[in-house]
Amino acid sequence: MSKGNLFVVSGASGVGKSTVLKQVIDEREDLKFSVSATTRPPRPGEEHGVNYFFMNRDQFRELIQRGEFMEYDAHMDNLYGTPRGQLEEKLRNYNVILDVEPNGAFAVRAERPDATLIFVAPPSMEELEHRLRSRGDTDEAQIQLRLKRAIWEMSQRFQYDYIVINDKADACADEILHIIAEKAD
């Protein structure tokens, strides 16, 4: 039986979830990040087991076959999933926050109806495109794929418990911290 509360955060690529979630986690000692597994290669500075559990497709498929993911999905030609064991272990002692796309969020909700779903939205699609382009690490084809995906992701936001606009990272983090405090304290 878990002690902690589960918070699921989604939002389009480039909306600033990683920046906001780092601030949120840094503010609460009782909140841990659930590390996802992925088949995509690590980006500079990312560490296995910290940012993601990096694995090849065969390893990922084996975990799917064994039922070891709470949720998983293909996104941008890679597989992503939430390893069930590490999530349940963290929930024994902490509140846990997940960063997953909408299909994953809905799969988690199906299994854990008590999970709180939070959607982080950009102030506008133009701002989202600007953020994706200003990263400097994404080619034009990927930007177009991510923008197309963002339109679908934004259409799913009304199925979440909360929608938070990330106009400024500090204000967005504060709003998410308020939601967590409301549910966890």
Side-chain angles (χ1 to χ4, degrees), residues 17-18 33-43 46-55 75 79-81 83 99-100:
K17 290 184 310 290
S18 297
F33 183 71
S34 176
V35 179
S36 295
T38 184
T39 58
R40 80 158 172 76
R43 293 182 182 138
E46 288 183 330
E47 294 178 51
H48 179 79
V50 175
N51 305 98
Y52 284 96
F53 294 108
F54 295 100
M55 58 185 64
H75 184 64
L79 299 170
Y80 293 84
D99 174 2
V100 298

Side-chain angles (χ1 to χ4, degrees), residues 110-130:
E111 200 165 318
R112 290 283 310 254
D114 60 321
T116 300
L117 275 55
I118 304 167
F119 191 89
V120 178
S124 68
M125 289 302 289
E126 294 78 19
E127 177 60 21
L128 181 65
E129 182 174 358
H130 170 75

Side-chain angles (χ1 to χ4, degrees), residues 2 12 18 37 43 57 66 72 86 114-115 119 132 139 157 161 164 176:
S2 67
S18 297
R43 293 182 182 138
R57 286 182 178 273
R66 295 195 324 232
Y72 64 91
Q86 63 94 29
D114 60 321
F119 191 89
L132 285 171
D139 66 34
R157 70 189 181 278
D161 300 310
V164 180
I176 292 172

Side-chain angles (χ1 to χ4, degrees), residues 17-78:
K17 290 184 310 290
S18 297
T19 301
V20 168
L21 290 180
K22 181 180 181 339
Q23 288 180 250
V24 168
I25 291 166
D26 286 349
E27 286 293 318
R28 291 191 63 116
E29 291 181 10
D30 67 331
L31 184 65
K32 298 295 179 192
F33 183 71
S34 176
V35 179
S36 295
T38 184
T39 58
R40 80 158 172 76
R43 293 182 182 138
E46 288 183 330
E47 294 178 51
H48 179 79
V50 175
N51 305 98
Y52 284 96
F53 294 108
F54 295 100
M55 58 185 64
N56 65 42
R57 286 182 178 273
D58 290 338
Q59 293 168 314
F60 198 100
R61 286 187 187 112
E62 184 177 322
L63 293 177
I64 291 171
Q65 291 299 317
R66 295 195 324 232
E68 293 190 28
F69 287 116
M70 178 170 275
E71 61 79 30
Y72 64 91
D73 197 22
H75 184 64
M76 297 296 163
D77 299 325
N78 292 296

Side-chain angles (χ1 to χ4, degrees), residues 147-179:
L147 289 171
K148 183 178 178 185
R149 173 79 180 192
I151 292 167
W152 176 81
E153 289 170 327
M154 290 291 290
S155 74
Q156 303 303 302
R157 70 189 181 278
F158 299 111
Q159 296 184 60
Y160 285 70
D161 300 310
Y162 299 90
I163 301 169
V164 180
I165 307 297
N166 186 13
D167 194 12
K168 294 188 184 337
D170 292 344
C172 184
D174 286 347
E175 193 168 343
I176 292 172
L177 284 163
H178 178 76
I179 293 165

